Amino acid sequence: MAARNLGHYLPDEEPMEQDSMAKAKSRLRLAVVCSSNQNRSMEAHCMLRRQGFLRVRSFGTGSSVRLPGPTPYMPNVYDFQTTYEQMYEDLIRKDEDLYRHTGILGMLQRNKRIKPRPERFQNCYDMFDLILTCEESVFWRVVRELNERQSVMRKPVNVINVDIQDDDTEAILGSVLLCHLCHCILLMGNTQKELVELLKLFEEGLSMPFLHARCFY
């Protein structure tokens, strides 16, 4: 994902007043999901919260949390009950110089300022208005999980995927894109047709696919 000027992809509507936008952002129940709840979802969590999305949460969908190790074939694997602080201390014991150089320790320091530990989406039964995923396989896991739950309330939720590569630079660029997408969604009307048109506009402007599914709680 290259850095792009996204300003001209806003919907053709009068902008919200500042107070109205702030209230809309504070009300939106938003989830960002990647595989391990470490890099992409946490960078977006941080960015969205700074931009006034006060009800944002982040998750992973993997069976475990995986962090890069000394080689691609030797990852550091933790369960979702392990805190970011515990991971940080473990990596310092293993090879502080390596993990400081690769940025993993810096990432974990950022993560633990946001929340204590990673969370697994499949273990969360809270309702959201919008779920953003960072990888196609994660998107399908989220959609499958929601569809398999026995729902009686039939509360709709839009699930949207934007593919973001799992490295520091792309996570930052991806978080900017997700934040911009959320602002655009708040500016448009509240119909599925308008959402589909907005995503097509993003796809055409950025030359990248945006998967979308409407699920229910």
Side-chain angles (χ1 to χ4, degrees):
M1 183 190 302
R4 300 175 176 94
N5 178 8
L6 302 175
H8 57 287
Y9 299 123
L10 286 167
D12 295 328
E13 297 186 22
E14 291 298 321
M16 280 188 184
E17 293 182 1
Q18 188 172 357
D19 288 347
S20 297
M21 174 59 84
K23 289 178 182 178
K25 289 195 291 187
S26 68
R27 289 194 299 264
L28 184 69
R29 296 171 299 179
L30 178 61
V32 189
V33 191
C34 65
S35 180
S36 290
N37 198 196
Q38 290 285 352
N39 183 28
R40 294 166 292 179
S41 62
M42 289 299 284
E43 183 64 43
H45 188 155
C46 184
M47 169 73 74
L48 287 161
R49 194 163 70 176
R50 286 202 305 264
Q51 291 295 316
F53 292 90
L54 303 181
R55 302 182 72 180
V56 61
R57 293 179 63 187
S58 58
F59 301 92
T61 56
S63 58
S64 59
V65 174
R66 302 172 72 87
L67 289 173
T71 75
Y73 306 103
M74 297 175 62
N76 293 284
V77 181
Y78 306 95
D79 61 43
F80 276 86
Q81 296 305 309
T82 308
T83 67
Y84 293 122
E85 178 64 31
Q86 289 169 331
M87 296 177 198
Y88 183 86
E89 295 297 334
D90 181 53
L91 296 183
I92 284 181
R93 285 192 298 270
K94 289 177 176 177
D95 192 335
E96 180 174 0
D97 290 341
L98 170 64
Y99 295 112
R100 196 169 298 283
H101 176 73
T102 59
I104 302 298
L105 293 181
M107 181 187 71
L108 289 170
Q109 285 180 312
R110 185 231 21 229
N111 291 354
K112 63 185 182 179
R113 288 194 296 266
I114 297 172
K115 63 181 185 178
R117 58 169 54 84
E119 298 173 87
R120 193 165 186 258
F121 180 80
Q122 292 90 326
N123 297 332
C124 176
Y125 285 82
D126 295 337
M127 291 192 295
F128 298 95
D129 302 308
L130 176 64
I131 300 173
L132 302 172
T133 62
C134 304
E135 182 180 319
E136 183 174 350
S137 62
V138 173
F139 171 84
W140 291 115
R141 287 190 195 107
V142 168
V143 170
R144 183 170 63 247
E145 174 67 24
L146 292 174
N147 288 341
E148 287 176 353
R149 293 180 181 180
Q150 296 298 316
S151 172
V152 294
M153 299 182 65
R154 307 307 293 170
K155 169 68 177 176
V157 57
N158 287 297
V159 185
I160 298 172
N161 182 73
V162 180
D163 280 322
I164 301 171
Q165 294 179 31
D166 193 6
D167 63 55
D168 293 347
T169 300
E170 294 299 312
I172 293 170
L173 292 172
S175 70
V176 173
L177 174 55
L178 292 179
C179 191
H180 189 78
L181 176 61
C182 289
H183 276 101
C184 290
I185 289 172
L186 291 180
L187 285 170
M188 70 178 197
N190 193 29
T191 70
Q192 287 298 295
K193 180 180 179 181
E194 287 171 310
L195 177 58
V196 170
E197 290 175 351
L198 176 67
L199 295 178
K200 286 182 179 178
L201 188 62
F202 268 77
E203 285 185 325
E204 292 169 1
L206 299 174
S207 299
M208 58 186 295
F210 283 67
L211 295 176
H212 171 234
R214 185 171 170 86
C215 299
F216 295 87
Y217 287 105

